[in-house]
Amino acid sequence: MKKIRLITREEAFKRAQHIMDEYRALYGIDFEMEHTFLPVALLVPTQAELSEAKLLVVLQEIKHGYDAPITVIPYGGRYYVIDGHHRAFALWKLGLSQIEALVLRPKSRFLPGVVRTAERSGLRSLADIKIVRD
């Protein structure tokens, strides 16, 4: 069985910066990163399935203090998860109403590709994610 390695807080910040740089290059617009807490109810997943094995590891680690933030992009009053689906789902399942997030805020209006991905997949909330056995 493959060992599951979770990213650290520091890696989550580095990954968010890397994603922001990629988005800047891809869309040709500038972004700013905001570190905040968001209502879980406003999160929209962009991944339809999650690994049960990884989810169980994340749930266990959260109980022992694991706290890497997720990365999201805002659009239409909702926050689309770019990185951290297992973390977001686990915290939602544990009943948390707020989640630590790195928000990649575009400085110009545009339609992020992840919004179309979520719509095509019928994803509107974390409850729409399917857990699959690996």
Side-chain angles (χ1 to χ4, degrees), residues 45-94:
T46 58
Q47 190 175 319
E49 297 180 344
L50 297 181
S51 155
E52 180 184 55
K54 183 172 180 180
L55 183 59
L56 292 172
V57 170
V58 171
L59 282 162
Q60 191 62 37
E61 291 302 314
I62 286 171
K63 291 177 184 174
H64 295 287
Y66 180 60
D67 65 349
I70 66 168
T71 301
V72 300
I73 191 163
Y75 185 80
R78 309 289 304 276
Y79 294 88
Y80 290 78
V81 180
I82 299 171
D83 188 57
H85 282 83
H86 286 85
R87 286 169 270 154
F89 190 88
L91 292 166
W92 171 66
K93 278 298 191 185
L94 290 170

Side-chain angles (χ1 to χ4, degrees), residues 10-11 19 40 43 62 113:
E10 183 178 87
E11 289 169 330
I19 292 167
V40 173
L43 298 179
I62 286 171

Side-chain angles (χ1 to χ4, degrees), residues 4-123:
I4 296 170
R5 184 189 167 288
L6 305 181
I7 69 168
T8 64
R9 270 186 81 73
E10 183 178 87
E11 289 169 330
F13 280 87
K14 285 180 183 173
R15 190 179 287 183
Q17 181 65 52
H18 179 75
I19 292 167
M20 189 168 67
D21 293 343
E22 283 184 343
Y23 269 43
R24 188 177 288 129
L26 182 65
Y27 294 108
I29 59 175
D30 206 13
F31 289 81
E32 59 188 10
M33 190 183 318
E34 177 188 359
H35 183 201
T36 189
F37 282 82
L38 298 172
V40 173
L42 294 181
L43 298 179
V44 178
T46 58
Q47 190 175 319
E49 297 180 344
L50 297 181
S51 155
E52 180 184 55
K54 183 172 180 180
L55 183 59
L56 292 172
V57 170
V58 171
L59 282 162
Q60 191 62 37
E61 291 302 314
I62 286 171
K63 291 177 184 174
H64 295 287
Y66 180 60
D67 65 349
I70 66 168
T71 301
V72 300
I73 191 163
Y75 185 80
R78 309 289 304 276
Y79 294 88
Y80 290 78
V81 180
I82 299 171
D83 188 57
H85 282 83
H86 286 85
R87 286 169 270 154
F89 190 88
L91 292 166
W92 171 66
K93 278 298 191 185
L94 290 170
L96 275 76
S97 62
Q98 299 274 315
I99 188 166
E100 185 180 8
L102 301 171
V103 181
L104 306 185
R105 288 202 184 279
K107 292 186 177 180
S108 307
R109 289 182 50 91
F110 83 112
L111 176 62
V114 292
V115 172
R116 289 190 295 274
T117 299
E119 288 171 354
R120 270 196 311 273
S121 302
L123 300 169

